[in-house]
Amino acid sequence: MSVYILVVDDEPDVEALFRQQFRRDLRAGRFLMEFAQSAPAALQRATDFREPSLILILSDINMPGMSGLEMLPEVRARRPDVPVIMITAYGDADTRKKAIERGAEGLLTKPIDFAMLRQEIDTRLGQAA
């Protein structure tokens, strides 16, 4: 079974950054990464995946149109089985509270601590096995 991680961010360089950080995992086939550059595109992708192959959604908060915080209740309603971790440049207490209240499992601040994110992904892979 192939497992997927969906990364949602409107910045085009994010895909290259994530592919670089996880290149060994991706080459080894430990998981696949899908990318969406908007919340509506992410909602569509999350709905398209067959259960239980989608194991984690990582979403930026600040995006044009629908923000990550606005997307969060929608994605939780459509895919309550998939944990969502929000990513933001502003890791203040109010942002964290809003994200958790709307269903996020956690909040990562930019610049992303990829070692910590790798541990989170390893945990999700273990749960999916």
Side-chain angles (χ1 to χ4, degrees):
M1 169 179 76
S2 294
V3 294
Y4 290 86
I5 295 168
L6 178 59
V7 180
V8 188
D9 198 306
D10 62 306
E11 296 293 328
D13 58 338
V14 167
E15 181 173 349
L17 175 64
F18 272 77
R19 289 197 184 281
Q20 174 67 24
Q21 288 292 325
F22 294 104
R23 70 184 178 281
R24 288 188 187 116
D25 298 292
L26 296 170
R27 278 193 199 134
R30 288 188 71 219
F31 53 84
L32 301 167
M33 284 191 150
E34 290 278 329
F35 296 86
Q37 289 193 326
S38 70
L43 288 169
Q44 185 61 51
R45 292 296 301 140
T47 305
D48 289 347
F49 284 108
R50 299 277 184 243
E51 290 183 48
S53 63
L54 181 61
I55 62 164
L56 182 63
I57 297 173
L58 301 166
S59 178
D60 190 24
I61 288 180
N62 293 318
M63 295 183 286
M66 178 186 273
S67 74
L69 288 176
E70 292 167 334
M71 177 194 74
L72 196 47
E74 289 286 324
V75 78
R76 299 300 301 142
R78 294 180 192 193
R79 293 300 304 266
D81 58 311
V82 180
V84 180
I85 295 176
M86 304 307 290
I87 301 170
T88 184
Y90 312 102
D92 60 273
D94 188 49
T95 301
R96 182 175 301 280
K97 182 179 179 223
K98 284 179 186 173
I100 300 300
E101 284 174 350
R102 294 180 188 194
E105 292 255 332
L107 184 77
L108 295 175
T109 55
K110 294 179 182 180
I112 296 170
D113 179 344
F114 281 100
M116 191 168 79
L117 180 55
R118 182 175 303 284
Q119 289 177 335
E120 181 69 32
I121 289 171
D122 288 344
T123 298
R124 301 297 171 193
L125 288 170
Q127 291 171 350

